[in-house]
Amino acid sequence: MNKLRWAMDGGFWDLDISTPVTLEGEARAVPGHPLPLGVSRGTKLSRPKQTDFFQRFMFAPFLPSYSYSPASRSHSFNLQRCLAIPLSQDWFSMLQGQFNLHKFVSSFRKRRTLLQSSDSQSSSLIPAICACLRDKSLYALGIYSELSLTPQDTLVLSSDANGNDDTPPRRKAVLHHEFPDHNLTLEAASPSLFLDKSGNYWDVPLSLALDLASIPSSSGASYHFCMRHIAGLPKLFEGGDENHGKTIPATLLPGITLRHAISFKKNLEIWRSEAKKLKMVQPFDIFLSTPHVSASGIIGAVMTASHGDNSVASEVDDSQSTAAGFSYRSHALKSAVHADLFSSVSFMAQHGSFQKWFLDLTRFHVRLNFPSGRTFLSGATQLAHDFVNSQQPTNKALEAICPSATVSLQQQIVGPFSFRVDSGVIVGLNKQTNWYAHAHDPVFAIEYALQVLGSAKAIAWYSPKHREFMVELRFFET
């Protein structure tokens, strides 16, 4: 199973990502703002189901998470717990609660300092603790319900709210339908949370989406259609009524957007080990049990049509990856159409069969993305012209042909434990025409393979840029 839904063309699709800033534990990447692979979601359960799994089978009384809000300049170290309510064989509900431990400790320390300064007796600490626990902003409560309508249809309803009176409750309804060769998703969320490439979270008052995608395959053609309607002006998450000088991404402004892409993928197996595995020893992960070297490539085209304020504002938004291709705008109709080519090349190598207890798994994965075919061809044409005329190539032409890169490295530590780092890589030229490269938005993780489930793992990851930490459960990541 694919690690990401349409990971190759992640710059065009608002992929799901994991985040600890809400009880739901989920947000979307702003369209046109691709995020590193490590932040994006793999194949896994919903956050309430993850919490229930950790409680039932891993004896974890609480599920921890940490986040920092630049808008409110506040830290949050939360503990989550849930209560399953099995209503019937086809209807499953769950209550989920969250306690902000960091805020409680900070509040208690302030009260204790005041008590000490007023020469109060130590017996007054218990009332102080009770007074802190009465703070409603320490708590968040949510309800999650999943109803199986038919073998092919699943309806998911969720709602959560915290004790902060300034924060509106979050509600979402999602309908999944499985066709023989396609997946259809209908979603309505109010508000809907988005994350831009600068690390800012935005709350969209109302978001309606339709997503139709062919089932991912190892090779061959695939296509994807997405329609999203946004109503209301986005606000900075936990920023109150102000955006604190942040510019709203153009693709989040009110309007309707349609995207359609078709792509062709080819996998190439360079080498695969035929060595026999250890007898009577089950690999810690059956999908990571064969050393190999492989490569893959994808090429496709994407077309985006927008109507509303999002089409007008995107004209001056240089972050639009599709703006470099064919573009047509009508100011009178407040509409725009973009079309472009994209491609991606990946290389993966694995050493070890993940059966032994020490140093039996080393994995390396690198992906090169070319998000705009027109930009690449324009830069290549300019370089050819400069070469023929014996001229010095310009920095702009050289940067136009440079792809964006994502690198992932995983190394077994001991037994089912492994260390992993995912990071974007930025390559460019400075004013002295010297090449430079640096890591962008790295994510560090410790993974624990759940051997009894074949291919599942518990992950504890931390993002230094976003200052976020989560513990998650994921399945079938390869």
Side-chain angles (χ1 to χ4, degrees):
M1 299 183 68
N2 282 12
K3 177 181 175 63
L4 284 180
R5 174 166 54 89
W6 283 70
M8 293 291 190
D9 50 323
F12 299 104
W13 307 103
D14 45 344
L15 298 176
D16 301 334
I17 58 175
S18 299
T19 174
V21 300
T22 63
L23 185 61
E24 181 189 17
E26 178 181 313
R28 291 291 183 98
V30 171
H33 291 214
L35 300 176
L37 189 64
V39 183
S40 302
R41 297 179 59 180
T43 306
K44 62 180 186 180
L45 299 175
S46 63
R47 186 63 175 174
K49 285 189 173 182
Q50 291 183 56
T51 307
D52 182 63
F53 181 91
F54 277 102
Q55 291 177 193
R56 289 174 178 265
F57 304 106
M58 301 190 71
F59 308 104
F62 301 99
L63 204 59
S65 65
Y66 168 80
S67 65
Y68 173 77
S69 173
S72 60
R73 297 182 179 179
S74 60
H75 300 263
S76 297
F77 183 80
N78 300 310
L79 301 176
Q80 295 180 356
R81 187 170 176 82
C82 69
L83 174 64
I85 308 175
L87 301 175
S88 67
Q89 184 177 357
D90 299 325
W91 189 6
F92 180 82
S93 294
M94 191 176 299
L95 290 175
Q96 188 176 15
Q98 178 175 278
F99 178 72
N100 192 332
L101 181 61
H102 183 276
K103 189 173 183 178
F104 167 75
V105 173
S106 299
S107 178
F108 174 73
R109 285 178 177 176
K110 291 180 181 179
R111 286 184 175 271
R112 186 177 182 181
T113 302
L114 292 175
L115 289 174
Q116 291 176 347
S117 62
S118 61
D119 297 329
S120 299
Q121 300 296 323
S122 60
S123 59
S124 301
L125 292 179
I126 295 179
I129 294 176
C130 295
C132 293
L133 292 176
R134 285 196 294 266
D135 184 1
K136 295 188 298 182
S137 63
L138 296 176
Y139 307 95
L141 182 65
I143 184 170
Y144 174 90
S145 185
E146 182 175 310
L147 177 61
S148 179
L149 303 176
T150 68
Q152 294 79 30
D153 296 278
T154 303
L155 177 64
V156 178
L157 303 173
S158 63
S159 177
D160 62 77
N162 57 39
N164 191 345
D165 297 333
D166 298 331
T167 305
R170 317 186 74 88
R171 300 182 178 91
K172 179 183 286 188
V174 182
L175 176 64
H176 298 283
H177 179 78
E178 296 181 0
F179 291 102
D181 299 315
H182 306 80
N183 289 326
L184 173 67
T185 301
L186 301 175
E187 178 185 290
S190 176
S192 184
L193 189 66
F194 288 83
L195 174 65
D196 66 21
K197 61 183 179 182
S198 300
N200 302 312
Y201 285 95
W202 298 90
D203 260 337
V204 172
L206 177 63
S207 174
L208 306 175
L210 180 150
D211 192 293
L212 178 65
S214 57
I215 296 177
S217 59
S218 58
S219 295
S222 300
Y223 67 89
H224 194 161
F225 174 78
C226 180
M227 178 176 65
R228 181 173 294 276
H229 173 69
I230 291 178
L233 196 63
K235 294 182 179 180
L236 194 65
F237 178 73
E238 292 188 347
D241 295 329
E242 300 180 2
N243 290 333
H244 300 276
K246 307 294 183 180
T247 302
I248 300 175
T251 49
L252 293 187
L253 292 175
I256 186 170
T257 302
L258 299 108
R259 286 188 178 88
H260 183 264
I262 183 170
S263 64
F264 299 89
K265 182 179 181 181
K266 178 64 177 178
N267 283 342
L268 176 63
E269 187 172 276
I270 302 173
W271 170 79
R272 179 170 291 270
S273 174
E274 297 181 357
K276 295 182 179 180
K277 297 181 175 61
L278 299 177
K279 295 182 179 181
M280 307 300 292
V281 178
Q282 180 182 349
F284 293 106
D285 190 316
I286 59 174
F287 285 176
L288 305 179
S289 60
T290 304
H292 67 279
V293 178
S294 62
S296 64
I298 186 172
I299 185 170
V302 62
M303 177 174 287
T304 304
S306 56
H307 173 72
D309 295 340
N310 53 356
S311 63
V312 177
S314 62
E315 184 174 3
V316 294
D317 189 356
D318 294 334
S319 65
Q320 284 292 309
S321 60
T322 54
F326 167 80
S327 179
Y328 171 79
R329 301 180 184 278
S330 173
H331 292 279
L333 299 176
K334 298 179 68 174
S335 302
V337 177
H338 302 285
D340 205 351
L341 301 175
F342 63 89
S343 63
S344 181
V345 178
S346 298
F347 174 83
M348 179 179 290
Q350 175 180 324
H351 171 73
S353 58
F354 209 19
Q355 289 183 291
K356 301 177 182 179
W357 276 81
F358 297 99
L359 305 178
D360 195 29
L361 176 67
T362 302
R363 285 168 54 86
F364 175 77
H365 178 265
V366 61
R367 189 177 78 238
L368 304 178
N369 294 320
F370 300 87
S372 172
R374 182 173 179 178
T375 298
F376 179 82
L377 293 176
S378 176
T381 303
Q382 183 63 41
L383 286 178
H385 178 270
D386 295 337
F387 178 77
V388 170
N389 293 277
S390 301
Q391 297 178 354
Q392 182 71 22
T394 63
N395 289 4
K396 183 178 181 180
L398 290 172
E399 291 180 350
I401 65 171
C402 290
S404 61
T406 300
V407 177
S408 178
L409 177 65
Q410 182 177 359
Q411 175 63 56
Q412 181 190 21
I413 303 173
V414 56
F417 291 94
S418 62
F419 172 77
R420 174 174 161 181
V421 57
D422 293 356
S423 178
V425 179
I426 295 180
V427 180
L429 288 169
N430 55 27
K431 294 181 180 180
Q432 289 75 32
T433 321
N434 296 321
W435 290 95
Y436 69 88
H438 63 83
H440 173 65
D441 203 353
V443 177
F444 303 94
I446 297 294
E447 300 187 355
Y448 175 77
L450 303 177
Q451 188 177 22
V452 69
L453 297 181
S455 182
K457 54 191 173 184
I459 302 179
W461 60 263
Y462 177 71
S463 171
K465 176 181 177 180
H466 302 282
R467 301 175 72 175
E468 295 178 350
F469 164 82
M470 286 188 78
V471 177
E472 295 189 276
L473 179 71
R474 296 192 180 181
F475 293 93
F476 310 119
E477 288 192 336
T478 59

